[in-house]
Amino acid sequence: MERIVGIAASEGYAIGRMYIHLEAAEDWSHQTALDPDQEVSRFQQAKEDACIELGTVYHRAVARVGEHHSGIFKIHLALLRDDDFCKEVSEYIQQNHCTAEKGVQEVGQKFFRIFEEMDDDYLRARGADVKDIVSRLLFFLGENRKEEMGDWLPKGAQGILAAEEIMPSQTIRMDVDQVTGLITRTGSRTSHSAILARSLQIPAVTGLGKQFDLLQDGSCVILDGFKGLVIQDPDEETLSAYQKLAQEYENQQKALESYKGMKAVTQDGTVVELCANIGHPNDLDEVLDNGADGVGLFRTEFLFMYWGRQPTEEEQFGAYRTVLEQMQGKRVVIRTLDIGADKQVPYLRMEREENPAMGRRSLRYCLENPKVFLTQLRALLRAARYGKLAILIPMVVSVEEVLTVRKLLQQAAAELEQEGVPFSRDYEFGVMIETPSAAMISDLLAPHVDFFSIGTNDLVQFTVAADRENPHVAALCDPQHPAVRRLIEIAVKNGVRSGIRVAVCGEAAADPAMTRFLLSIGVRELSVAPASLLEIRHTIQSLRLT
Ligand code: PEP
Ligand code: MG
């Protein structure tokens, strides 16, 4: 029996035979071409074919996992149609008198390296998208294009698939009746393949690194997607323990379905507003499907990351308006740009800092760059006409900051008024309580705002002085720590006393072990990832507070 620990990328259990898929790497490096013009046309034809096929993949994905999880294929289409990439491939072919295959490989490698060298995990993971596009183009340049891509298990077989790397377009083609689990050498929890695996409910463990070499094709494995664990050749006792766990999990999942569309009310009648956290308008399908009471946190920095360049006021307005309209009058909390630390946006060129989590990030960046900030505030005020908007300010540590933002909002409104651009002053204004200082002065902050939203992720890291991104201190990042609980309690008490709304939107809101505590101190609003809505609704419904 061998226990191999990787990254828990998609929850669930899989038990069965493992199939290792190894792709033979093709070497295009020495291919010269007699007629570069002909190679450029071959490349253009392959690009057209790939775009058509990608359109089909996109529609297939929408049918399988909904619009929300299929956005990646729109991104792939945009990358394929990207003028810079195509121009560079054509130029490379012309300048080096090489084949279309080599041009695609070389330019693809260059783009891949740009992503790979980025500090941010999310953007680094985008390198996989470039690889996906390159392999798609090579497929269409090849002779053998009848072969079905992604069909990696022998016909009729069912089991766990292990591969060096699995790309999003391959994941989406997985037949869930055939592939019961995924194991990869590379990858992270934020890679799109991991996101798709979660939406397809295929348990996955990624990032095995060198340990991937320990895997043996055909062996029996247990995949524990909660712990990021792969157990190869388990003994009888371990096997039967996991069979029991897997059965229990399956029963739980089936039972949760019945909570769709229900209200979150405790056994003794306490009503909780259960909202969802999103990072993009595409996330709304699952929010609406699971019947959330509103959007409790729209992390707008993800929009800035998706776009790959600074979105214009018009583009931001469009995205905020879409969310407000789709939520049909339900409250939508949109948080202003919270960039920096783990959320880098390369084109904004933030300076490197020794300790970025405590540096010029988030609200501090916005106040130092009023042009960027005002563009967002203007877009928000314009969008306020289309629904019930609440504007949320991150990383607040002082009353002065709140007053400055209020002034900037007035400035944005005055500008719009002068320009005759329609907007609304009908919105709520709130602050994140995610620093110990904000919690400690929450009595002073409350008179200036309409609501608090407690961000336990940052509150925990700053309270226990342990980086939330560092796996070596992960055990210290515990929202149950008495110091964290005290700070939460102080903020809730001050908010309730001042008669303002108090919500919790950090990960602790999605932790069933925290629900009783949060409700018992007076929290009546929770905002969680869309995938956690049903579980937390179930937890609330099984609680009795008195
Ligand atoms: C938090 O810090 O708890 C929070 C919700 O914000 P983020 O996770 O985006 O930092
Ligand atoms: Mg935060």
Side-chain angles (χ1 to χ4, degrees):
M1 184 164 92
E2 194 146 30
R3 294 167 74 89
I4 301 168
V5 182
I7 295 168
S10 177
E11 288 75 17
Y13 302 102
I15 302 169
R17 181 185 163 145
M18 177 174 57
Y19 295 86
I20 301 185
H21 176 84
L22 294 173
E23 252 176 316
E26 294 193 57
D27 180 15
W28 312 104
S29 56
H30 301 296
Q31 299 202 23
T32 49
L34 293 176
D35 185 354
D37 286 342
Q38 196 189 341
E39 292 303 306
V40 170
S41 341
R42 278 185 67 229
F43 162 63
Q44 275 158 354
Q45 185 58 51
K47 192 189 100 178
E48 289 312 311
D49 292 346
C51 284
I52 293 169
E53 195 237 14
L54 205 47
T56 318
V57 172
Y58 170 69
H59 290 296
R60 216 203 263 187
V62 172
R64 281 191 81 176
V65 296
E67 174 82 34
H68 152 222
H69 294 295
S70 312
I72 180 62
F73 299 112
K74 278 198 196 157
I75 296 174
H76 283 190
L77 256 177
L79 269 170
L80 253 180
R81 292 194 175 124
D82 178 59
D83 282 346
D84 287 347
F85 178 75
C86 296
K87 213 168 126 219
E88 218 168 299
V89 173
S90 302
E91 279 173 9
Y92 190 94
I93 295 170
Q94 296 282 11
Q95 282 161 12
N96 296 282
H97 282 251
C98 68
T99 57
E101 283 87 344
K102 182 166 159 75
V104 167
Q105 274 276 355
E106 293 291 335
V107 177
Q109 270 296 330
K110 185 182 144 189
F111 275 64
F112 173 70
R113 275 196 295 269
I114 293 174
F115 280 108
E116 209 182 33
E117 280 162 16
M118 289 179 177
D119 286 338
D120 178 76
D121 276 354
Y122 177 85
L123 290 172
R124 225 179 4 256
R126 300 290 67 77
D129 298 331
V130 174
K131 275 197 180 173
D132 201 347
I133 286 158
V134 166
S135 77
R136 188 177 297 278
L137 285 167
L138 292 176
F139 173 78
F140 281 102
L141 282 167
E143 306 283 305
N144 195 15
R145 50 172 91 164
K146 293 274 173 323
E147 178 201 338
E148 174 65 9
M149 291 167 76
D151 196 6
W152 287 354
L153 257 54
K155 249 196 160 30
Q158 190 195 49
I160 296 162
L161 177 64
E164 292 280 323
E165 178 176 18
I166 299 178
M167 294 178 200
S169 64
Q170 291 160 335
T171 312
I172 198 69
R173 287 152 194 262
M174 297 278 164
D175 179 347
V176 283
D177 293 328
Q178 225 195 342
V179 180
T180 56
L182 291 173
I183 301 172
T184 57
R185 184 193 292 273
T186 60
S188 67
R189 198 175 155 81
T190 50
S191 70
H192 271 114
S193 279
I195 294 168
L196 284 169
R198 288 200 287 278
S199 67
L200 289 168
Q201 298 185 331
I202 305 178
V205 177
T206 61
L208 256 58
K210 281 196 184 124
Q211 298 179 95
F212 187 87
D213 298 327
L214 300 172
L215 301 178
Q216 280 165 12
D217 189 41
S219 60
C220 170
V221 297
I222 295 171
L223 185 159
D224 181 340
F226 293 96
K227 294 192 178 143
L229 184 65
V230 176
I231 303 172
Q232 186 163 235
D233 297 324
D235 56 33
E236 279 295 317
E237 199 185 331
T238 311
L239 189 62
S240 73
Y242 263 98
Q243 277 163 341
K244 207 165 149 238
L245 276 175
Q247 189 55 53
E248 278 167 12
Y249 180 64
E250 200 183 319
N251 296 343
Q252 270 171 23
Q253 289 308 102
K254 279 196 191 127
L256 281 182
E257 288 291 306
S258 62
Y259 288 87
K260 277 190 179 173
M262 284 192 184
K263 286 269 151 219
V265 186
T266 63
Q267 301 233 325
D268 42 353
T270 299
V271 181
V272 180
E273 197 156 315
L274 185 57
C275 302
N277 297 346
I278 63 165
H280 194 279
N282 286 350
D283 297 343
L284 285 178
D285 290 351
E286 203 174 346
V287 175
L288 294 166
D289 189 38
N290 286 338
D293 293 319
V295 169
L297 172 66
F298 178 0
R299 290 178 161 104
T300 59
E301 56 279 7
F302 288 136
L303 266 191
F304 281 62
M305 291 174 174
Y306 264 110
W307 259 304
R309 63 176 168 76
Q310 197 173 329
T312 61
E313 179 183 317
E314 213 50 42
E315 286 169 330
Q316 290 188 57
F317 164 62
Y320 307 150
R321 176 182 168 168
T322 303
V323 175
L324 283 157
E325 282 182 337
Q326 290 205 28
M327 289 308 291
Q328 297 181 351
K330 287 183 176 170
R331 185 166 171 264
V332 175
V333 180
I334 304 186
R335 184 173 73 184
T336 59
L337 199 54
D338 183 31
I339 45 159
D342 54 314
K343 291 181 280 197
Q344 286 296 328
V345 182
Y347 57 83
L348 290 179
R349 298 185 197 289
M350 294 173 78
E351 267 173 45
R352 269 195 105 78
E353 292 173 303
E354 280 296 308
N355 197 347
M358 298 199 204
R360 294 154 85 190
R361 59 174 278 207
S362 189
L363 177 62
R364 299 164 191 180
Y365 171 88
C366 289
L367 294 179
E368 279 184 29
N369 296 274
K371 230 172 131 189
V372 176
F373 199 26
L374 276 167
T375 304
Q376 181 168 43
L377 297 181
R378 283 170 58 106
L380 286 166
L381 294 185
R382 288 174 60 191
R385 296 172 66 228
Y386 297 91
K388 205 168 168 195
L389 173 68
I391 299 175
L392 176 62
I393 309 300
M395 276 294 285
V396 165
V397 297
S398 72
V399 173
E400 289 69 31
E401 287 168 340
V402 177
L403 298 179
T404 307
V405 178
R406 277 217 176 266
K407 272 197 200 128
L408 286 169
L409 272 165
Q410 278 165 13
Q411 185 183 329
E415 280 176 18
L416 292 168
E417 199 156 45
Q418 208 170 27
E419 293 162 27
V421 179
F423 72 99
S424 171
R425 285 195 171 87
D426 186 14
Y427 59 86
E428 287 175 49
F429 176 75
V431 288
M432 293 280 297
I433 303 290
E434 56 179 344
T435 59
S437 57
M440 292 306 291
I441 60 161
S442 46
D443 56 331
L444 305 178
L445 292 169
H448 301 284
V449 298
D450 303 310
F451 68 99
F452 286 159
S453 189
I454 303 177
T456 49
N457 308 338
D458 277 314
L459 187 60
V460 170
Q461 80 162 339
F462 293 128
T463 306
V464 299
D467 182 355
R468 67 192 256 195
E469 298 300 316
N470 183 344
H472 302 295
V473 290
L476 287 171
C477 285
D478 177 10
Q480 302 266 18
H481 190 291
V484 178
R485 288 162 65 117
R486 280 190 196 182
L487 287 170
I488 295 175
E489 224 170 325
I490 290 171
V492 175
K493 212 191 274 168
N494 285 327
V496 171
R497 195 180 290 152
S498 300
I500 62 168
R501 304 173 73 127
V502 183
V504 177
C505 67
E507 283 305 307
D511 179 356
M514 289 289 287
T515 314
R516 174 179 287 283
F517 165 70
L518 294 174
L519 299 194
S520 69
I521 60 169
V523 173
R524 293 292 175 267
E525 277 179 51
L526 297 173
S527 192
V528 303
S532 298
L533 282 166
L534 297 182
E535 189 185 11
I536 294 301
R537 193 174 292 146
H538 160 69
T539 308
I540 292 168
Q541 291 207 354
S542 19
L543 274 181
R544 175 173 287 279
L545 295 177
T546 47

